[in-house]
Amino acid sequence: MKAMQIPSYDVADYSVLLKENPDVLSAHPCVVRGFVEQWSAARSWLEIDQLKALFGTLPVTAGAPQFTTHRDQRMCQVQTSYGTYLDYVQQPERIAELFPEPWRKGSLEELRHMQLPLYCGNLRLVRHAAEPVLEQIQPLVPGNMECLNDQIPYYYQSGNHVWLYVSRAGALTPLHQDNNAVIAYLAQLRGRKRAVLYAPSDKAYFHTSGVGYMDPLAPDEQQFPQWHLAQPWVATLEPGELLIWGANWAHHVVTEEDSITVSFDIVNATNLDAYARSFDWQHELGHFAKKNAAMIRTRSDDSRLHAALDAGLEAPIGRAFMQATLRAALQANPDHAGAAVREQLRRTLEEA
């Protein structure tokens, strides 16, 4: 199917579009101009040496590709610090010195054969809603878009939702769908990226159980015999532009020029129920609760939570912990600004 160019709007027109149809991102992604320039990060995160000073000590992994989404994809991966990874971005010829073998996955020889650069995609910048780094990307959402993140208990603790990507030309993020049914964007600070996206309604054409996701640039006819029925949406993301898509849209991104990009995950009324039913945050939150089970047992007398802790499975623990937290919060402060969101979360979890 012929690719559709993703429509582009200035931030004022995007705001009008959202007012007319708050769920427009379920129909198609959008490129938004004139938003990113409002950020402090659009000035303070432009130079790699600045990022080293800010975040260089944080632990990360870097892979080629960023991760794998197909059973036959090979991967090379190293564990390192963000500062060392940024040294590599600046001086790739030092790769053997910076990342001595053995690597976590693959090897330098395999990496050279793959002809892909290493790509760090798991820098964890935010763990709670009051994290100072969030001030660097205010406003968080374009065009008066609704964002309920801060009203969801443990939202930033139960998953990474703010991403800073620094990538060399050629870095690859293969086709995938984001965890937790979030709305998401890529905000380009430097360089250029090329993106291909597909609607979740086309998943049967671009994904095969047991195989994974196709490569939109080289579809395998045997593994994805109906790939041509999937409608691709494409955009080249330039500095200062933001690419935003709806819940469960699949996306494949290639770095065309050395780049600095910010990504952010959003929950609002259009995807709140889908977020509530998602497995990944439940597992992450359950992992935290399981590690702190003794403390949680003393602070909560919720019998369902105690039973989940006794069973020991992370996702049911996370779900029960969230339900107990929501019930307690609603009982203690029924007039809280986020009470309606918490009640909807509670009801959706109970129904699920």
Side-chain angles (χ1 to χ4, degrees):
M1 192 175 292
K2 184 178 180 181
M4 295 284 290
Q5 189 68 33
I6 296 173
S8 179
Y9 308 89
D10 65 38
V11 70
D13 288 340
Y14 181 68
S15 183
V16 171
L17 187 68
L18 284 175
K19 187 174 182 180
E20 294 173 348
N21 179 11
D23 198 23
V24 65
L25 294 174
S26 67
H28 61 78
C30 296
V31 171
V32 182
R33 306 181 306 273
F35 171 72
V36 176
E37 62 196 36
Q38 301 173 83
W39 290 352
S40 297
R43 297 172 290 279
S44 61
W45 291 2
L46 287 180
E47 301 299 330
I48 289 180
D49 286 341
Q50 293 173 314
L51 299 179
K52 284 183 191 177
L54 290 168
F55 311 121
T57 60
L58 295 176
V60 295
T61 59
Q66 183 185 165
F67 44 74
T68 59
T69 61
H70 187 285
R71 69 181 182 192
D72 298 329
Q73 276 180 323
R74 294 175 299 152
M75 185 181 199
C76 294
Q77 189 180 70
V78 297
Q79 289 182 302
T80 186
S81 69
Y82 196 58
T84 303
Y85 169 74
L86 294 179
D87 286 338
Y88 159 74
V89 171
Q90 291 178 306
Q91 299 175 291
E93 68 278 3
R94 294 179 58 205
I95 187 170
E97 169 196 346
L98 294 170
F99 308 123
E101 298 193 71
W103 288 5
R104 185 175 182 182
K105 294 181 181 179
S107 65
L108 178 55
E109 182 180 355
E110 289 180 66
L111 181 73
R112 287 170 171 157
H113 181 72
M114 292 166 65
Q115 297 184 316
L116 287 175
L118 291 170
Y119 190 6
C120 171
N122 66 345
L123 177 67
R124 187 74 178 264
L125 294 181
V126 174
R127 295 183 182 273
H128 55 81
E131 199 83 59
V133 74
L134 286 171
E135 293 299 319
Q136 300 297 306
I137 55 171
Q138 294 288 342
L140 291 172
V141 292
N144 299 315
M145 186 176 185
E146 181 185 45
C147 180
L148 303 178
N149 296 4
D150 292 357
Q151 298 178 37
I152 300 172
Y154 301 107
Y155 178 77
Y156 292 105
Q157 291 94 326
S158 55
N160 197 2
H161 298 293
V162 182
W163 318 78
L164 174 60
Y165 298 124
V166 180
S167 53
R168 292 189 55 78
L172 172 63
T173 300
L175 190 67
H176 69 287
Q177 293 166 291
D178 291 331
N179 295 338
N180 297 314
V182 292
I183 297 164
Y185 64 63
L186 293 176
Q188 197 70 359
L189 303 186
R190 287 186 59 183
R192 186 175 68 239
K193 289 187 171 181
R194 180 73 172 170
V196 182
L197 293 92
Y198 296 95
S201 56
D202 282 346
K203 186 171 183 177
Y205 309 135
F206 61 74
H207 179 271
T208 301
S209 179
V211 175
Y213 293 84
M214 75 175 185
D215 179 352
L217 305 184
D220 186 309
E221 294 272 0
Q222 291 187 329
Q223 293 177 340
F224 306 96
Q226 294 182 301
W227 69 269
H228 56 281
L229 297 178
Q231 174 64 68
W233 292 78
V234 299
T236 298
L237 196 59
E238 303 284 354
E241 293 183 335
L242 177 144
L243 170 62
I244 186 166
W245 58 85
N248 293 316
W249 275 71
H251 42 289
H252 175 280
V253 184
V254 176
T255 300
E256 294 192 333
E257 294 177 349
D258 292 1
S259 291
I260 300 176
T261 311
V262 173
S263 184
F264 184 67
D265 296 341
I266 303 157
V267 177
N268 62 26
T270 67
N271 65 326
L272 181 60
D273 285 348
Y275 172 84
R277 296 187 178 96
S278 297
F279 171 83
D280 297 281
W281 72 259
Q282 296 179 26
H283 185 273
E284 185 88 6
L285 187 59
H287 181 70
F288 164 80
K290 189 174 180 179
K291 284 177 29 178
N292 296 276
M295 176 188 69
I296 289 170
R297 287 179 189 275
T298 62
R299 294 185 178 183
S300 174
D301 59 1
D302 190 289
S303 60
R304 284 176 283 186
L305 174 56
H306 286 217
L309 287 167
D310 290 340
L313 299 175
E314 278 85 354
I317 291 172
R319 186 164 57 250
F321 184 38
M322 178 63 81
Q323 290 172 304
T325 300
L326 291 167
R327 286 192 290 266
L330 287 164
Q331 183 175 10
N333 193 356
D335 298 322
H336 186 274
V341 172
R342 292 172 178 177
E343 173 58 25
Q344 185 173 342
L345 279 171
R346 185 203 65 77
R347 187 171 59 251
T348 301
L349 286 169
E350 294 288 350
E351 292 171 354

